[in-house]
Amino acid sequence: MSFSYCTIQMSALSSLCEYDSEESDCDTKSTKNKKLKLRLPDLSAVPVIPTENYTDNCDLHAGRLRSFPHVRGNWSSFVYIQYTEDEDFLKLFKKLQAKVFEIDGSCYKCDDFHISLSKTVVLQYHLITSFSTTLQKILSDFESFKLSYDSVKIYCNEENTRTFVALEVDHFSKKYLMHMTDKIDNVLKEYNLPTFYENPSFHMSILWLNGNKKAQLINILDNLNDILLNKNLKTIHINKVNCKVGNKYFQYFLL
């Protein structure tokens, strides 16, 4: 029995030596310290695109251009109030859109409906958490409120690359939003970021056109305002404020 057992042991050891013959001399002492060598992957066929060479393709978003270049580590950010469309608003929107189409058939619906409470600023990644926390503290003291629109306005961005058809808030809503943006401006100053406009016009853009089409649209402004007045858009209850930082979204609830 002992002869058979020893034969099995020697046979097993021999098999191990044959399996590892490409890597060692079958020294049982050195086998304990041997590390498995992994073959390095071949990355020659993997394309590498450096972020510094990023090029904005305006054809991918209906001719829109960035207000400032894409830079790694910088996050486009702004504070705003989100508007949720209802059936009455959609009816109003379609009538306004049809009227604008008579002037320029290349107008587009805005991606989302909101009222800006700050300019679009550049926030560095490591400041996102503290910036959002500070905003939450100052906005938590504000009470929820009613908001309504009383006129149609035409705006053009600072670069003259886009023109907007927008709904402007009424006097009482504006008074409340002015107080809110004053507090938000104080936060922006802490982070050395641009504050809001000196005499802001609080509005919600609903349609946009490429280029500066302000002069053409002002010609039909009275017609657009007649459409708004005849629709009697409902008052909206606002109970939260939002902040978008790159692809991150923050929400701050009011009292």
Short mmCIF file of all heavy atoms in Angstrom, two decimals, residues 79 115-121 177-178 181-182 184-185 188 193-203:
data_model
loop_
_atom_site.label_atom_id
_atom_site.label_comp_id
_atom_site.label_asym_id
_atom_site.label_seq_id
_atom_site.Cartn_x
_atom_site.Cartn_y
_atom_site.Cartn_z
N VAL A 79 -29.55 78.60 -11.67
CA VAL A 79 -30.66 78.39 -10.73
C VAL A 79 -31.94 78.81 -11.44
O VAL A 79 -31.96 79.82 -12.15
CB VAL A 79 -30.44 79.23 -9.45
CG1 VAL A 79 -31.53 78.90 -8.42
CG2 VAL A 79 -29.05 78.98 -8.87
N ILE A 115 -38.05 79.46 -15.49
CA ILE A 115 -37.74 80.87 -15.25
C ILE A 115 -36.37 80.93 -14.61
O ILE A 115 -36.16 80.38 -13.52
CB ILE A 115 -38.79 81.52 -14.33
CG1 ILE A 115 -40.18 81.42 -14.95
CG2 ILE A 115 -38.45 82.98 -14.05
CD1 ILE A 115 -41.30 81.79 -13.99
N SER A 116 -35.43 81.58 -15.24
CA SER A 116 -34.07 81.66 -14.71
C SER A 116 -34.01 82.62 -13.53
O SER A 116 -34.58 83.71 -13.56
CB SER A 116 -33.10 82.13 -15.80
OG SER A 116 -33.00 81.18 -16.84
N LEU A 117 -33.26 82.21 -12.50
CA LEU A 117 -33.03 83.06 -11.33
C LEU A 117 -31.55 83.42 -11.21
O LEU A 117 -31.13 84.04 -10.22
CB LEU A 117 -33.50 82.35 -10.05
CG LEU A 117 -34.98 81.95 -10.02
CD1 LEU A 117 -35.30 81.27 -8.70
CD2 LEU A 117 -35.88 83.16 -10.22
N SER A 118 -30.77 83.01 -12.18
CA SER A 118 -29.36 83.37 -12.24
C SER A 118 -28.91 83.29 -13.69
O SER A 118 -29.59 82.68 -14.52
CB SER A 118 -28.51 82.42 -11.38
OG SER A 118 -28.32 81.18 -12.03
N LYS A 119 -27.76 83.90 -13.98
CA LYS A 119 -27.15 83.67 -15.28
C LYS A 119 -26.58 82.25 -15.31
O LYS A 119 -26.45 81.61 -14.27
CB LYS A 119 -26.01 84.67 -15.51
CG LYS A 119 -26.44 86.11 -15.67
CD LYS A 119 -25.22 87.01 -15.90
CE LYS A 119 -25.60 88.46 -16.09
NZ LYS A 119 -24.42 89.32 -16.29
N THR A 120 -26.22 81.78 -16.50
CA THR A 120 -25.49 80.52 -16.58
C THR A 120 -24.03 80.83 -16.26
O THR A 120 -23.39 81.64 -16.91
CB THR A 120 -25.60 79.91 -17.99
OG1 THR A 120 -26.97 79.65 -18.27
CG2 THR A 120 -24.83 78.60 -18.06
N VAL A 121 -23.53 80.18 -15.20
CA VAL A 121 -22.17 80.45 -14.72
C VAL A 121 -21.34 79.17 -14.80
O VAL A 121 -21.88 78.08 -14.99
CB VAL A 121 -22.19 80.99 -13.27
CG1 VAL A 121 -22.95 82.30 -13.20
CG2 VAL A 121 -22.81 79.96 -12.32
N LEU A 177 -39.80 87.38 -6.88
CA LEU A 177 -38.60 86.81 -7.49
C LEU A 177 -37.39 87.73 -7.34
O LEU A 177 -36.25 87.26 -7.26
CB LEU A 177 -38.86 86.50 -8.96
CG LEU A 177 -39.88 85.39 -9.23
CD1 LEU A 177 -40.14 85.26 -10.73
CD2 LEU A 177 -39.40 84.07 -8.66
N MET A 178 -37.62 89.03 -7.32
CA MET A 178 -36.53 89.98 -7.11
C MET A 178 -35.87 89.74 -5.76
O MET A 178 -34.64 89.75 -5.63
CB MET A 178 -37.05 91.41 -7.20
CG MET A 178 -37.23 91.94 -8.60
SD MET A 178 -35.68 92.20 -9.49
CE MET A 178 -34.97 93.53 -8.53
N THR A 181 -33.81 86.48 -5.95
CA THR A 181 -32.55 86.57 -6.70
C THR A 181 -31.51 87.42 -5.96
O THR A 181 -30.30 87.20 -6.14
CB THR A 181 -32.78 87.16 -8.11
OG1 THR A 181 -33.51 88.39 -8.01
CG2 THR A 181 -33.54 86.18 -8.99
N ASP A 182 -31.96 88.36 -5.14
CA ASP A 182 -31.01 89.13 -4.32
C ASP A 182 -30.24 88.18 -3.39
O ASP A 182 -29.02 88.32 -3.21
CB ASP A 182 -31.74 90.18 -3.48
CG ASP A 182 -32.17 91.39 -4.30
OD1 ASP A 182 -31.63 91.56 -5.43
OD2 ASP A 182 -33.03 92.15 -3.84
N ILE A 184 -29.85 84.90 -3.87
CA ILE A 184 -29.03 84.00 -4.70
C ILE A 184 -27.77 84.72 -5.16
O ILE A 184 -26.68 84.13 -5.20
CB ILE A 184 -29.85 83.49 -5.90
CG1 ILE A 184 -31.01 82.61 -5.41
CG2 ILE A 184 -28.97 82.70 -6.87
CD1 ILE A 184 -31.99 82.22 -6.49
N ASP A 185 -27.89 86.01 -5.47
CA ASP A 185 -26.73 86.81 -5.86
C ASP A 185 -25.67 86.82 -4.77
O ASP A 185 -24.46 86.81 -5.05
CB ASP A 185 -27.15 88.24 -6.20
CG ASP A 185 -27.66 88.39 -7.63
OD1 ASP A 185 -27.52 87.41 -8.40
OD2 ASP A 185 -28.19 89.45 -7.96
N LEU A 188 -23.70 83.73 -5.09
CA LEU A 188 -22.81 83.79 -6.26
C LEU A 188 -21.58 84.65 -5.97
O LEU A 188 -20.47 84.32 -6.40
CB LEU A 188 -23.58 84.35 -7.45
CG LEU A 188 -24.72 83.47 -7.99
CD1 LEU A 188 -25.59 84.25 -8.96
CD2 LEU A 188 -24.17 82.23 -8.67
N LEU A 193 -18.71 84.40 -8.64
CA LEU A 193 -19.43 84.11 -9.89
C LEU A 193 -20.28 85.32 -10.28
O LEU A 193 -20.69 86.11 -9.41
CB LEU A 193 -20.32 82.88 -9.71
CG LEU A 193 -19.58 81.56 -9.43
CD1 LEU A 193 -20.57 80.47 -9.07
CD2 LEU A 193 -18.75 81.14 -10.63
N PRO A 194 -20.56 85.50 -11.56
CA PRO A 194 -21.38 86.65 -12.00
C PRO A 194 -22.78 86.62 -11.39
O PRO A 194 -23.41 85.56 -11.31
CB PRO A 194 -21.45 86.47 -13.52
CG PRO A 194 -20.30 85.57 -13.87
CD PRO A 194 -20.11 84.67 -12.68
N THR A 195 -23.26 87.76 -10.96
CA THR A 195 -24.61 87.85 -10.40
C THR A 195 -25.63 88.04 -11.53
O THR A 195 -25.27 88.19 -12.69
CB THR A 195 -24.69 89.02 -9.41
OG1 THR A 195 -24.28 90.22 -10.07
CG2 THR A 195 -23.79 88.77 -8.21
N PHE A 196 -26.90 88.07 -11.15
CA PHE A 196 -27.98 88.19 -12.13
C PHE A 196 -28.00 89.61 -12.70
O PHE A 196 -27.28 90.50 -12.24
CB PHE A 196 -29.31 87.85 -11.47
CG PHE A 196 -30.35 87.32 -12.41
CD1 PHE A 196 -30.01 86.53 -13.50
CD2 PHE A 196 -31.70 87.60 -12.21
CE1 PHE A 196 -30.96 86.03 -14.37
CE2 PHE A 196 -32.67 87.09 -13.06
CZ PHE A 196 -32.30 86.31 -14.14
N TYR A 197 -28.85 89.84 -13.69
CA TYR A 197 -28.94 91.15 -14.33
C TYR A 197 -29.41 92.22 -13.34
O TYR A 197 -30.17 91.93 -12.41
CB TYR A 197 -29.89 91.07 -15.52
CG TYR A 197 -29.47 90.04 -16.54
CD1 TYR A 197 -30.07 88.78 -16.57
CD2 TYR A 197 -28.45 90.29 -17.45
CE1 TYR A 197 -29.68 87.81 -17.48
CE2 TYR A 197 -28.05 89.33 -18.37
CZ TYR A 197 -28.66 88.10 -18.38
OH TYR A 197 -28.25 87.15 -19.27
N GLU A 198 -28.98 93.45 -13.56
CA GLU A 198 -29.29 94.54 -12.64
C GLU A 198 -30.79 94.80 -12.58
O GLU A 198 -31.36 94.99 -11.51
CB GLU A 198 -28.54 95.80 -13.07
CG GLU A 198 -28.68 96.94 -12.08
CD GLU A 198 -27.84 98.16 -12.45
OE1 GLU A 198 -26.99 98.03 -13.36
OE2 GLU A 198 -28.04 99.22 -11.84
N ASN A 199 -31.45 94.83 -13.72
CA ASN A 199 -32.91 94.99 -13.78
C ASN A 199 -33.50 93.79 -14.52
O ASN A 199 -33.86 93.89 -15.70
CB ASN A 199 -33.29 96.29 -14.49
CG ASN A 199 -32.82 97.51 -13.73
OD1 ASN A 199 -33.17 97.68 -12.56
ND2 ASN A 199 -32.02 98.35 -14.38
N PRO A 200 -33.61 92.66 -13.83
CA PRO A 200 -34.01 91.42 -14.52
C PRO A 200 -35.45 91.44 -14.99
O PRO A 200 -36.33 92.06 -14.38
CB PRO A 200 -33.81 90.35 -13.44
CG PRO A 200 -33.94 91.08 -12.15
CD PRO A 200 -33.38 92.44 -12.40
N SER A 201 -35.66 90.78 -16.10
CA SER A 201 -37.01 90.56 -16.62
C SER A 201 -37.29 89.06 -16.47
O SER A 201 -36.76 88.24 -17.22
CB SER A 201 -37.08 90.96 -18.10
OG SER A 201 -38.30 90.58 -18.67
N PHE A 202 -38.10 88.73 -15.48
CA PHE A 202 -38.35 87.32 -15.19
C PHE A 202 -39.34 86.76 -16.22
O PHE A 202 -40.47 87.23 -16.33
CB PHE A 202 -38.89 87.15 -13.78
CG PHE A 202 -37.90 87.56 -12.73
CD1 PHE A 202 -38.01 88.81 -12.12
CD2 PHE A 202 -36.85 86.74 -12.38
CE1 PHE A 202 -37.10 89.20 -11.16
CE2 PHE A 202 -35.92 87.12 -11.42
CZ PHE A 202 -36.04 88.36 -10.81
N HIS A 203 -38.91 85.77 -16.96
CA HIS A 203 -39.73 85.25 -18.05
C HIS A 203 -39.45 83.77 -18.29
O HIS A 203 -38.44 83.23 -17.81
CB HIS A 203 -39.44 86.04 -19.34
CG HIS A 203 -38.02 85.92 -19.78
ND1 HIS A 203 -37.02 86.75 -19.31
CD2 HIS A 203 -37.39 85.06 -20.63
CE1 HIS A 203 -35.86 86.42 -19.85
NE2 HIS A 203 -36.07 85.39 -20.66
#
